[in-house]
Amino acid sequence: MTEVKAVEIKAKLIPIYIMGKKYEVPETLTIMKAIEYAGYRYIRGCGCRGGVCGACSTVYRKPGSYKIMSGLACQTVVEPDMYLTQIPFYPAIRSTYNFEELTGKPEEVFDLYQELFRCVACNACSKVCPMDVEVMDYISALKRGDIKAAAEISFDCIQCGLCASRCMGELPQYHIAQLARRINGRYLTPQAEHLKTMVANIESGRYQESLTGLKVMDINMLKETYTARELEPATGGEDWTPKENIGL
Amino acid sequence: MPYPEELKKLIKVVESTRAERVARKLKNEEVPFLSLDARTDRLKYHPDFKDEGRHELSIGPSKGYKIAHEMAEVLEAHSRVNPADVNLIKTDYETDVLVLGGGGAGTSAAILAVENGCKVIIATKLRHGDANTMMAEGGIQAATKGHKDSPYFHYLDIMGGGHFNNVPELAETLANNAPSAIKWLENQGCNFSKYPDGTMKTIHGGGTSRKRMHYAADITGAEIMRTIRDEARNHSDDIQVLEFSPAVELILNEKGECAGAVLYNMETEEYITVKAKSIVMATGGSGRLHIQGFMTTNHYGATADGIVMAYRAGVKVCFLHTVQYHPTGIVFPEQAEGILITEKFRGSGANLVNIEGQQFVNEREPRDVEAASIIKECIEDGKGVPTPSGKVGIWLDSPMIENLAGPGTVEREFPGKFILYKRFGIDISKEPMLIYPTLHYQNGGLEFKNTGHTSLPGLFVAGEVGGGIHGENRLMGNSLLDIIVYGRIAGKSAADFANENANGSKLSLEHVIKYNEEADKAGIAKDKVAPMLLPDYTDARIREKQLTSHYVGTMR
Ligand SMILES: Cc1cc2nc3c(=O)[nH]c(=O)nc-3n(C[C@H](O)[C@H](O)[C@H](O)COP(=O)(O)OP(=O)(O)OC[C@H]3O[C@@H](n4cnc5c(N)ncnc54)[C@H](O)[C@@H]3O)c2cc1C
Ligand code: SF4
Ligand code: SF4
Ligand code: FES
């Protein structure tokens, strides 16, 4: 088992301070594995173990520096004498809304999140973001009414909540960003025409006969059909079309 | 940590053959695909074919079925809680539809159940969205481009990938409902990667005959999960979410229908009961069982719980004899071990390359064939690359993508992985990645129908917990699809059941009592309990000193 093996390997032990208390842990471990190595058992503060769920946000300081550092426990490797705590949850208010009724106007975002304008542009949020998202920039974009820019800037947000924990203006930044991304996806980006056409074609039963044909086909014949199917070349462009139009 | 000197030297070998490999790729002159027979031969190197790794289930509805020890053991285990101790007279919660699992399948089921007039409780193990769905990177399949693709070709690919053993109706429903699933996601505001005119970008994945993999940069699953979770939160009046409260047992009623579940609040250590008119099982996969000791890409709570609970209640399992190993998991740097490198790298043109700098397999073979080929190249042919921690790996030549699609492509198309490696001092647009197969997906699971129904009335299945759609091997992109298609179907069916069927009144855990007796008779040790809930990574050194701790299974 990976998680266990990492420990078996003879790595040098270094001291880290978990919530102020000293533990000696192998220097090659991530903070998450180091905390487990120290004897803790996760219920909160651990989700994907792969850097995408935002369950394990961690803040720490290093000796001799005033700086607050941050990282994901599952992705950050321990350093000697780091002082750390995980922040598995931070309260933040989310507004509910009827998504179907939105239209993509900036005022809708302003109405749902009036606290946007409490931002004092201190940039503490961007500094603490473990995903290097320019949080203040997406908040500023929203204040300007540029929802698209906010959606793009915030794309890598994993909703860990650290920005909200540091915010002078008490904003729930990541909830606002989520709203921006949904509005962008639905109302500010052209919808896919080919998708609409395909859904309509399926509903009209266009492919049902050929598909049923495959379903009832004997297995050897199915295997042959599979092997003989024309493969779109890896380097082909968007407009590539197959030679024959069976099944289309 | 950056690559040490020895590996840097080996990277030179990869660089020396790159120009030629790029040229071949452009001319479409690569290592050819294996014939169906050659595939079968190659699969002998796949871990599924190791007979010493498996045994026959000794009890339950699929008794005699041979599957991996780790999976068989949780299925044969005793219940965590003594059924007689649970108060079923006064339940703690009551609702129309109870959804077990807050991943993609559970969340879409919940939304559909609400749309169909039901009150819903989602009970989930960690936070809402801490799930395999969140981790999916590569993409979601659907035949949406009618000038070259259709459900016909999608179906063929699904069947071929699954070795033609898939349940045909399940595969058909998947292919047919794929475009409407994408449409639903687009309507929810998912940010798919698109061309300026709104055309969705699509690429190949292993085993696809047409480019039909839709994606949202390299965080497709996260984009889908956070979007539909946000939508579920908009219905907070109708959807109550109980986090850190995994289900440990299903509850039946006097008519033999599924009518609720026992949950375990892991924080307060209380067992709580929920009475419901119908139940959607959407607890996902089982990577954290670490089958055959493999590393895994799965989230912390992927421990096969749903299969265990439903199996005890009489639902058969299928296709669990195959487990999907993702061909490309990180083996170096060690801190990132097990983490998945999406197939999209190969779809975008990166070669798999051995220690001699040679491509040895076509990168678009189905996953099991690809994984078996890598294992063969390393173990049988000795052409793997040794890592500093004593393992072996194969190069995934990501810099090729820059040659093929222009400088900057790697950073733009794979921002997540680019940053991850950058933190270790490795620039994957210039240096290749070192990979090895990692435990990834539970191909099989509970038997169910294309309406979401199981053999147990009132119990519906959606997502990775179910088996049959993908046969013996799932193609990339068909699982994110499966959770949306079948999540929606199960949500609707569960709502119909809740609306139409009168609720039985008398709740019972009799089936659990019986199952425990069966386990006793089969000689299963009393200290084997399931569902596992969470894996135990406590170091032996610590465990020895936990003098007053009492472990039930893996939990303290
Ligand atoms: C790293 C990675 C990358 C992937 N990439 C792709 C890809 O590119 N394309 C693709 O199609 N597929 C991909 N997959 C597969 C796909 O993401 C999953 O198969 C799919 O998301 C499963 O969805 P689900 O809702 O069934 O399960 P999950 O998303 O895992 O959700 C299950 C939920 O149930 C909860 N749960 C577990 N046990 C209990 C219990 N006892 N009681 C209550 N709740 C419980 C879990 O905590 C979790 O929240 C990937 C998977 C991984 C791990
Ligand atoms: S923007 Fe905020 S919530 Fe999102 S990842 Fe950064 S700190 Fe976390
Ligand atoms: S921390 Fe709050 S106040 Fe400061 S810049 Fe960010 S959003 Fe504005
Ligand atoms: S555990 Fe999910 S981001 Fe670290």
Side-chain angles (χ1 to χ4, degrees), chain A residues 2-3 37 41 44 47 53 75 94 97 157 159 181-182 186 190 215 229-230 232 236 238 247, chain B residues 127 145 150 157 172 187-188 204 210-211 229-231 234 267 288 295 300 337 420 535 541:
Chain A
T2 327
E3 317 274 340
Y37 178 87
R41 204 263 157 77
R44 268 184 196 268
C53 78
Q75 301 290 300
R94 177 184 176 283
Y97 52 92
C157 169
Q159 314 199 339
R181 284 192 304 274
R182 285 188 71 186
R186 168 76 181 264
K215 232 177 74 185
R229 78 206 195 288
E230 193 180 343
E232 179 173 355
E238 204 36 59
Chain B
R127 301 174 314 164
K145 297 184 174 169
S150 74
D157 290 346
E172 180 192 27
N187 282 347
Q188 296 295 338
H204 267 308
R210 304 290 144 91
K211 293 182 185 170
R229 177 177 61 191
D230 190 70
E231 182 56 17
N234 277 343
E267 297 187 304
R288 292 281 155 190
M295 55 187 191
Y300 189 41
E337 212 179 53
L420 175 74
R541 177 183 56 84

Side-chain angles (χ1 to χ4, degrees), chain A residues 175-242:
Chain A
H175 286 317
I176 316 180
Q178 178 63 65
L179 174 63
R181 284 192 304 274
R182 285 188 71 186
I183 292 177
N184 182 51
R186 168 76 181 264
Y187 298 107
L188 306 178
T189 309
Q191 305 286 290
E193 285 305 323
H194 58 95
L195 181 54
K196 277 188 209 140
T197 314
M198 180 54 89
V199 172
N201 282 349
I202 291 175
E203 276 166 10
S204 73
R206 172 163 174 161
Y207 309 107
Q208 203 46 53
E209 201 183 313
S210 60
L211 196 50
T212 309
L214 288 179
K215 232 177 74 185
V216 298
M217 204 175 262
D218 109 312
I219 180 147
N220 290 321
M221 183 70 180
L222 184 63
K223 283 184 182 172
E224 263 173 47
T225 314
Y226 174 77
T227 312
R229 78 206 195 288
E230 193 180 343
L231 301 178
E232 179 173 355
T235 45
E238 204 36 59
D239 45 8
W240 175 86
T241 42

Side-chain angles (χ1 to χ4, degrees), chain A residues 129-131 133 135 138 157-163 174:
Chain A
C129 178
M131 295 304 286
V133 172
V135 190
Y138 76 63
C157 169
I158 55 173
Q159 314 199 339
C160 72
L162 279 183
C163 50
Y174 60 98

Side-chain angles (χ1 to χ4, degrees), chain B residues 30-228:
Chain B
E30 299 188 80
V31 172
F33 286 103
L34 297 177
S35 68
L36 289 181
D37 286 343
R39 272 190 192 174
T40 313
D41 210 43
R42 184 61 54 86
L43 285 173
K44 294 197 182 104
Y45 295 94
H46 195 277
D48 282 350
F49 289 76
K50 260 198 183 168
D51 220 36
E52 62 274 24
R54 317 196 278 170
H55 75 256
E56 285 182 7
L57 285 170
S58 60
I59 53 173
S62 300
K63 189 171 162 177
Y65 181 35
K66 203 170 188 183
I67 56 178
H69 298 310
E70 293 82 357
M71 180 64 82
E73 279 168 18
V74 294
L75 284 178
E76 293 165 336
H78 291 268
S79 63
R80 311 192 68 79
V81 56
N82 179 2
D85 292 343
V86 180
N87 181 351
L88 294 173
I89 309 291
K90 197 181 158 298
T91 45
D92 299 296
Y93 295 90
E94 214 176 309
T95 188
D96 296 330
V97 176
L98 171 63
V99 176
L100 302 177
T107 306
S108 38
I111 295 172
L112 263 284
V114 169
E115 272 177 25
N116 286 278
C118 286
K119 292 269 182 203
V120 176
I121 289 180
I122 299 179
T124 194
K125 186 182 294 181
L126 302 164
R127 301 174 314 164
H128 187 187
D130 290 351
N132 281 353
T133 303
M134 196 61 112
M135 308 186 73
E137 310 180 337
I140 176 165
Q141 285 198 43
T144 65
K145 297 184 174 169
H147 69 281
K148 62 177 176 192
D149 201 5
S150 74
Y152 173 93
F153 289 101
H154 194 176
Y155 178 87
L156 259 186
D157 290 346
I158 299 170
M159 297 300 288
H163 307 162
F164 305 97
N165 287 324
N166 322 41
V167 177
E169 289 71 31
L170 290 176
E172 180 192 27
T173 301
L174 186 72
N176 248 339
N177 288 283
S180 54
I182 305 283
K183 184 71 202 150
W184 184 68
L185 291 171
E186 191 190 45
N187 282 347
Q188 296 295 338
C190 250
N191 289 268
F192 285 105
S193 297
K194 289 181 172 180
Y195 295 103
D197 70 350
T199 302
M200 294 199 175
K201 295 189 179 171
T202 53
I203 54 168
H204 267 308
T208 55
S209 58
R210 304 290 144 91
K211 293 182 185 170
R212 73 168 78 85
M213 190 77 60
H214 304 67
Y215 55 95
D218 65 347
I219 53 168
T220 313
E223 173 62 3
I224 291 174
M225 187 70 237
R226 65 193 181 186
T227 304
I228 60 177

